């Protein structure tokens, strides 16, 4: 066959490292390049695969039907997150009432046992949203290539890891070969100068970026986030930014390694220690774009100009500052865009030109792989301290990103703040971000949500999602409508 | 995987930009551990008036007769005509499975989201990129002509209209060949097994913290606590 005789041309990593003008993406790519085929497709070695119950069963089945074995067991880590219930966790599997969901969680258990893949199961304190668990455990390390059958895998790019969401066929491909066959993406730089104002967070920054770029603005690109506003972010904040790269169309987002990265990673259970740590650190320090690196596309933003953001429509690009209104010029510009704005306003039950602060909320959800880390919970709790959820809000809930985040929040006394304010304190999982478990919106309900997608029906059939930061969600819960958290600090 | 050579079929127009995979197949149907059973729930939120649930058959549902795929003339459509950024959002491959099970063999759009585009090729669904202008003309043609059908020839990389207009489209050569022959990607990669092994050995020499040391942490201490 024609591709059997492909001229593999492995590139020496030293040669790649010496390449001038390399971006961070170029460097990680070169470091993992197994070979290049004549047609330009490249074989990339994958260091780590993360598995969850929803997109892995068909991959394991495929592996079994073809009589193949996983290439490298230690390169895999599994945890159930998408459809686990967030109440009654001590019941374990018997707490899952939905028999179809139960079968999926049990199937993940069975597959992990059968092949000997490490899993943090439903009763493990380390269980949680896969994109919270990986970094928390030090499974995610700088310079790695990481995949998961989940588009928010881009989260791990905060560690200068090339992390990409893949489909189930590719999950199987990576299980079987430890490689991914890809064409290299183009490089895009998103430069954020200045400093975020008090009350304005990483979430507001990335929502603003998506609003500017559009949901397909970065399609075909890997984004690197650069600039002082990014350097000033904690790892949690950087994860929030990278997490939503896919909402601008980019499969992967990256942030360079610095002291903040290394301090976060050191001492995590799966991180290297001793001489290996020193060796790893020396390599990780090189994980940044060269000063003269060239990007195919550049986008700049002054972070100090960013206001707290609220999405008003049914696409993450449909976002404005809390002090603004829904769009009122629906007939202007591109007719397809105008049509989608009109449809979105109709679905959301909003009028053109309506002030964002007029939108009344039925529910508030703090959670998801975007905003369920300890810092997110601290941000929300800071706003809620000494305040209460407004009477018109039927439900306000906090779903921590992992069992360990939950434990830490309890230790820090955050849980008392949330419950005193009237929030429900739940067990970890994806929960109402995509409503595969029992947590969902009813038709027509408006929800202030710290999640990542406001697509039609995402949080429940007919539900109306507004994407916001944790602090803005807390402010909305207290006021019963959107409010500028900067006035509540 | 099923091979794809050519097809001829009715074109169904989906006149919206940024159609996300949550719309193509809503999350409640992702709980299946199988690759089949998604066709009845393709575009569920738009096709039906009521909320879809697993196990409820289409004849028990309230159909949205306004939705384009419910119009009788598009019942047997094989080609979906869409607007830009089709398939954005979630990586769920179920979106591709649902489209194929409904009967679609081809999706034509000015652009696709990366993960969806990639997933198509793993299953034998052909995503064709034609420019905005041509797509716009095709939307008009579908509107104007009942039973408007297109002929798609993958080997020739052409889309032909009933009146004889022919549009060429670009496609990655290897992706095309794999579709034409219905080849298994994993098998192809495993042809390079020696090269992968050699890479891995050399890689773990220079990235020692990812090699056997990590294996010990990940696998050998399976029972150790936090």
């Amino acid at each position: 066959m024609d591709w059997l005789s492909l001229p593999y041309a492995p590139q020496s990593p030293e040669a790649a490292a010496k390449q001038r003008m390399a971006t961070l993406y170029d460097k990680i790519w070169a470091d993992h390049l197994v070979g290049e085929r004549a047609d330009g497709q490249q074989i990339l070695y994958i260091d780590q695969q993360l598995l969850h119950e929803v997109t892995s069963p068909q991959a394991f089945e495929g592996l079994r039907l073809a009589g193949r074995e996983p290439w490298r067991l230690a390169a895999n880590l599994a945890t159930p997150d998408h459809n686990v219930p967030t109440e009654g966790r001590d019941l374990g599997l018997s707490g899952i009432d939905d028999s179809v969901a139960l079968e999926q969680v049990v199937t993940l258990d069975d597959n992990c046992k059968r092949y000997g893949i490490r899993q943090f199961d439903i009763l493990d304190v380390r269980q949680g949203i896969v994109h919270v668990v990986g970094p928390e455990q030090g499974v995610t390390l700088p310079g790695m290539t990481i995949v998961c059958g989940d588009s928010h895998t881009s989260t791990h790019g905060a560690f200068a890891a090339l992390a990409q969401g893949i489909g189930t066929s590719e999950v199987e491909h990576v299980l079987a070969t430890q490689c991914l066959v890809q064409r290299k993406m183009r490089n895009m730089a998103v430069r954020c100068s200045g400093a975020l104002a008090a009350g304005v967070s990483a979430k507001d920054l990335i929502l603003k970026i998506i609003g500017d770029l559009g949901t397909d603005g970065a399609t075909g690109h890997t984004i690197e986030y650069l600039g002082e506003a990014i350097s000033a972010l904690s790892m949690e904040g950087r994860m929030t930014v990278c997490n939503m790269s896919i909402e601008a169309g980019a499969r992967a987002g990256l942030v360079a390694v610095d002291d903040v990265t290394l301090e976060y990673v050191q001492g995590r259970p799966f991180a290297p220690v001793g001489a290996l740590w020193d060796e790893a650190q020396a390599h990780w320090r090189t994980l940044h774009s060269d000063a003269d690196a060239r990007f195919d596309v550049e986008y700049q933003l002054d972070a100090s100009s960013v206001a707290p953001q609220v999405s008003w429509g049914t696409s993450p690009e449909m976002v404005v500052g809390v002090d603004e209104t829904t769009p009122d010029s629906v007939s202007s510009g591109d007719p397809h865009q105008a049509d989608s704005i009109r449809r979105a306003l109709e679905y959301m039950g909003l009028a053109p030109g309506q002030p964002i602060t007029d939108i009344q909320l039925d529910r508030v959800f703090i959670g998801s792989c975007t905003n369920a880390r300890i810092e997110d919970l601290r941000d929300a709790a800071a706003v809620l301290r000494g305040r209460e959820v407004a009477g018109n809000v039927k439900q306000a809930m906090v779903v921590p990103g992992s069992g360990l985040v939950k434990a830490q929040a309890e230790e820090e006394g955050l849980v008392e703040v949330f419950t005193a304010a009237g929030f429900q304190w739940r067990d970890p999982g994806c929960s109402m971000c995509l409503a595969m478990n029992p947590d969902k919106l009813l038709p027509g309900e408006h929800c202030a949500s710290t999640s990542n997608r406001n697509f039609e029906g995402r949080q429940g059939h007919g539900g109306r999602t507004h994407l916001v930061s944790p602090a803005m969600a807390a402010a909305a819960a207290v006021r019963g409508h959107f409010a500028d958290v900067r006035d509540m600090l | 995987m099923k091979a794809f050579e050519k097809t001829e079929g009715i074109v169904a127009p989906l006149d919206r930009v940024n159609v996300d995979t949550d719309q193509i197949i809503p999350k409640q149907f992702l709980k299946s551990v199988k690759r089949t059973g998604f066709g009845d729930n393709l575009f569920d939120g738009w096709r039906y008036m009521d909320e879809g649930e697993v196990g409820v058959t289409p004849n028990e549902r309230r159909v949205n007769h306004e939705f384009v795929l419910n119009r009788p003339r598009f019942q047997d459509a094989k080609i979906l005509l869409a607007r830009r950024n089709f398939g954005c959002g979630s990586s769920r491959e179920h979106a591709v499975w649902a489209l194929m099970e409904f009967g679609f063999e081809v999706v034509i759009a000015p652009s696709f989201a990366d993960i969806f585009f990639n997933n198509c090729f793993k299953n034998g669904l052909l995503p064709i990129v034609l420019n905005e202008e041509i797509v716009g003309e095709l939307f008009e043609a579908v509107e104007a002509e009942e039973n408007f059908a297109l002929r798609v020839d993958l080997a020739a990389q052409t889309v032909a209209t009933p009146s004889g207009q022919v549009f060429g489209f670009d496609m990655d050569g290897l992706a095309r060949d794999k579709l034409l022959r219905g080849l298994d990607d994993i098998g192809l990669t495993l042809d390079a097994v020696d090269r992968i092994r050699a890479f891995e050995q050399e890689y773990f020499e220079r990235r020692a913290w990812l090699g056997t040391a990590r294996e010990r942490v990940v696998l050998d201490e399976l029972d150790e606590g936090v």
Side-chain angles (χ1 to χ4, degrees):
Chain A
M1 291 193 296
D2 25 355
W3 41 80
L4 274 179
S5 56
L6 297 173
Y8 284 106
Q11 186 181 7
S12 119
E14 283 67 31
K18 280 180 197 154
Q19 240 177 11
R20 288 186 63 249
M21 307 199 305
T23 65
L24 173 55
Y25 175 50
D26 295 340
K27 290 181 185 182
I28 303 174
W29 183 276
D31 198 38
H32 292 83
L33 192 57
V34 174
E36 180 170 323
R37 304 197 293 208
D39 67 329
Q41 292 268 22
Q42 301 187 321
I43 300 182
L44 202 62
Y45 188 76
I46 301 301
D47 293 313
Q48 182 69 48
Q49 171 148 247
L50 300 165
L51 300 156
H52 64 81
E53 76 277 26
V54 177
T55 56
S56 70
Q58 297 88 347
F60 280 112
E61 185 195 45
L63 204 65
R64 215 155 28 234
L65 290 175
R68 295 180 174 127
E69 292 292 319
W71 182 281
R72 190 161 183 267
L73 292 174
N76 297 281
L77 177 74
T79 195
D81 56 5
H82 279 62
N83 55 39
V84 296
T86 57
E87 288 180 297
R89 183 55 53 84
D90 48 336
L91 297 169
L93 292 174
S94 54
I96 308 180
D97 292 334
D98 177 347
S99 62
V100 193
L102 176 64
E103 186 188 358
Q104 223 170 32
V105 176
V106 169
T107 302
L108 182 65
D109 277 352
D110 291 348
N111 283 323
C112 288
K113 277 181 202 133
R114 173 187 170 130
Y115 290 108
I117 286 171
R118 180 137 197 172
Q119 188 198 189
F120 297 148
D121 68 18
I122 192 167
L123 283 169
D124 195 309
V125 69
R126 296 164 294 182
Q127 175 273 344
I129 306 172
V130 70
H131 308 309
V132 174
V133 170
E136 184 175 79
Q137 290 294 317
V139 166
T140 300
L141 295 175
M144 274 184 160
T145 46
I146 300 176
V147 295
C148 175
D150 188 292
S151 61
H152 292 111
T153 308
S154 56
T155 310
H156 309 264
F159 293 82
L162 178 58
Q164 311 178 70
I166 56 177
T168 296
S169 292
E170 285 187 323
V171 171
E172 183 185 341
H173 190 281
V174 174
L175 277 170
T177 70
Q178 212 53 51
C179 292
L180 208 53
V181 178
Q182 282 194 325
R183 200 176 278 283
K184 197 173 169 210
M185 299 282 165
R186 284 154 45 100
N187 282 289
M188 177 188 250
V190 169
R191 296 183 195 276
C192 305
S193 59
L196 291 171
V200 182
S201 71
K203 180 65 165 289
D204 301 301
L205 182 64
I206 188 63
L207 283 173
K208 172 72 178 155
I209 292 169
I210 295 160
D212 286 359
L213 292 178
T215 53
D216 59 354
T219 300
H221 294 79
T222 291
I223 298 176
E224 182 176 349
Y225 300 94
L226 299 136
E228 58 211 40
I230 300 296
S231 305
L233 292 175
S234 65
M235 287 315 292
E236 284 87 349
R238 295 176 193 185
M239 283 189 256
T240 300
V241 169
C242 288
N243 171 277
M244 291 190 73
S245 301
I246 184 68
E247 262 55 74
R251 237 173 143 168
L254 291 165
V255 175
V257 168
D258 61 11
D259 291 343
V260 178
T261 323
L262 298 178
E263 275 163 31
Y264 181 99
V265 172
Q266 192 162 28
R268 305 258 160 197
F270 289 63
V273 292
L276 283 176
W277 169 264
D278 296 339
E279 203 182 317
Q281 191 184 204
H283 168 58
W284 294 344
R285 289 275 181 198
T286 69
L287 296 174
H288 54 78
S289 288
D290 295 333
D292 49 1
R294 275 209 321 247
F295 289 85
D296 300 295
V297 184
E298 294 258 358
Y299 160 85
Q300 304 218 5
L301 177 71
D302 174 7
S304 65
S305 70
V306 177
Q309 302 286 300
V310 179
S311 78
W312 56 266
T314 55
S315 166
E317 71 183 18
M318 295 173 168
V319 65
V320 290
V322 63
D323 47 0
E324 297 178 59
T325 64
T326 57
D328 58 6
S329 53
V330 293
S331 56
S332 72
D334 172 2
H336 303 306
Q337 203 62 27
D339 178 56
S340 82
I341 290 173
R342 185 188 50 74
R343 268 182 212 278
L345 286 171
E346 190 185 318
Y347 177 87
M348 296 295 288
L350 298 171
Q354 194 174 339
I356 292 298
T357 48
D358 278 3
I359 300 171
Q360 303 285 311
L361 281 322
D362 300 290
R363 293 181 203 255
V364 176
F365 169 65
I366 296 176
S368 88
C369 59
T370 312
N371 281 130
R373 298 180 182 82
I374 190 67
E375 184 178 280
D376 301 315
L377 304 194
R378 286 178 194 145
D379 275 2
V383 175
L384 291 173
R385 207 173 293 275
R387 292 183 168 127
E388 278 180 27
V389 173
N392 61 305
V393 175
K394 296 175 207 164
Q395 182 190 35
M397 61 196 285
V398 187
V399 181
S402 71
L404 292 178
V405 169
K406 186 181 187 205
Q408 187 173 349
E410 285 168 355
E411 196 180 297
E412 291 183 15
L414 301 184
V415 59
E416 284 78 13
V417 177
F418 284 118
T419 50
F423 269 77
Q424 298 170 5
W425 182 245
R426 297 294 190 92
D427 294 312
C430 299
S431 180
M432 210 197 273
C433 173
L434 84 169
M436 277 190 78
N437 77 342
D439 310 330
K440 57 185 75 164
L441 300 181
L442 295 176
E445 288 184 338
H446 286 269
C447 179
S449 177
T450 66
S451 56
N452 40 55
R453 289 189 172 134
N454 51 350
F455 297 148
E456 286 181 30
R458 172 83 178 180
Q459 294 192 293
H461 185 73
R464 293 161 172 171
T465 304
H466 300 275
L467 305 174
V468 288
S469 72
M472 280 291 287
V478 169
R479 295 281 189 255
H481 55 82
F482 286 113
D484 193 334
V485 71
R486 291 174 296 186
D487 301 333
M488 295 172 69
L489 298 174
Chain B
M1 190 182 77
K2 195 170 137 245
F4 184 107
E5 286 178 44
K6 49 184 70 175
T7 194
E8 178 167 6
I10 299 283
V11 179
L14 186 63
D15 196 359
R16 305 179 187 214
V17 295
N18 299 326
V19 171
D20 59 78
T21 55
D22 271 79
Q23 305 317 312
I24 299 175
I25 183 80
K27 72 275 179 161
Q28 64 267 42
F29 306 107
L30 308 187
K31 292 175 192 170
S32 170
V33 296
K34 301 188 173 66
R35 278 174 183 261
T36 53
F38 304 105
D40 286 342
N41 303 108
L42 176 72
F43 298 118
D44 199 90
W46 293 340
R47 255 167 95 189
Y48 306 100
M49 307 297 283
D50 51 355
E51 182 178 1
E53 279 172 49
V54 177
V56 180
T57 58
N59 51 19
E60 300 169 73
R61 307 283 304 277
R62 280 194 293 129
V63 172
N64 174 9
H65 295 286
E66 300 285 297
F67 184 57
V68 62
L69 293 187
N70 288 328
R71 284 155 64 181
R73 59 178 280 203
F74 299 121
Q75 284 308 294
D76 299 317
K78 285 186 185 172
I79 298 170
L80 184 66
L81 184 64
R83 296 289 183 184
R84 68 166 185 267
N85 198 26
F86 186 82
C88 61
S90 157
S91 62
R92 58 189 71 169
E93 200 160 315
H94 312 65
V96 174
W97 302 335
L99 284 162
M100 293 184 77
E101 206 172 312
F102 183 87
F104 287 115
E105 298 174 14
V106 177
V107 184
I108 299 175
S111 64
F112 293 89
D114 289 336
I115 303 178
F116 175 84
F117 189 74
N118 210 38
N119 286 341
C120 286
F121 288 99
K122 312 292 177 188
N123 295 277
L125 179 66
L126 179 63
I128 295 178
V129 178
L130 293 177
N131 69 40
E132 296 258 10
E133 200 181 327
I134 297 173
V135 168
E137 285 172 22
L138 292 176
F139 268 100
E140 285 170 24
V142 174
E143 200 52 48
E145 193 181 324
E146 186 96 9
N147 296 325
F148 180 81
L150 288 170
R151 268 181 297 123
V152 174
D153 185 331
L154 178 57
Q157 294 180 219
T158 55
V159 174
T161 67
S163 63
Q165 257 186 308
V166 178
F167 307 108
F169 59 87
D170 289 334
M171 182 145 296
D172 182 291
L174 188 91
R176 186 197 60 196
D177 288 352
K178 279 194 307 199
L179 272 185
L180 283 169
R181 295 157 72 163
L183 291 174
D184 168 18
D185 244 325
I186 298 176
L188 288 179
T189 302
L190 286 176
D191 285 341
V193 61
D194 294 340
R195 176 66 214 139
I196 300 171
R197 292 235 179 270
F199 172 87
E200 202 169 39
Q201 191 177 357
E202 174 267 337
Y203 179 70
F204 287 141
E205 273 167 30
R206 61 191 159 87
R207 307 285 177 245
W209 60 92
L210 298 176
T212 48
R214 187 171 176 84
E215 217 143 273
R216 274 198 298 278
V217 179
V218 176
L219 296 177
D220 293 356
E221 295 158 30
L222 269 174
D223 298 325
E224 201 179 295
V226 186

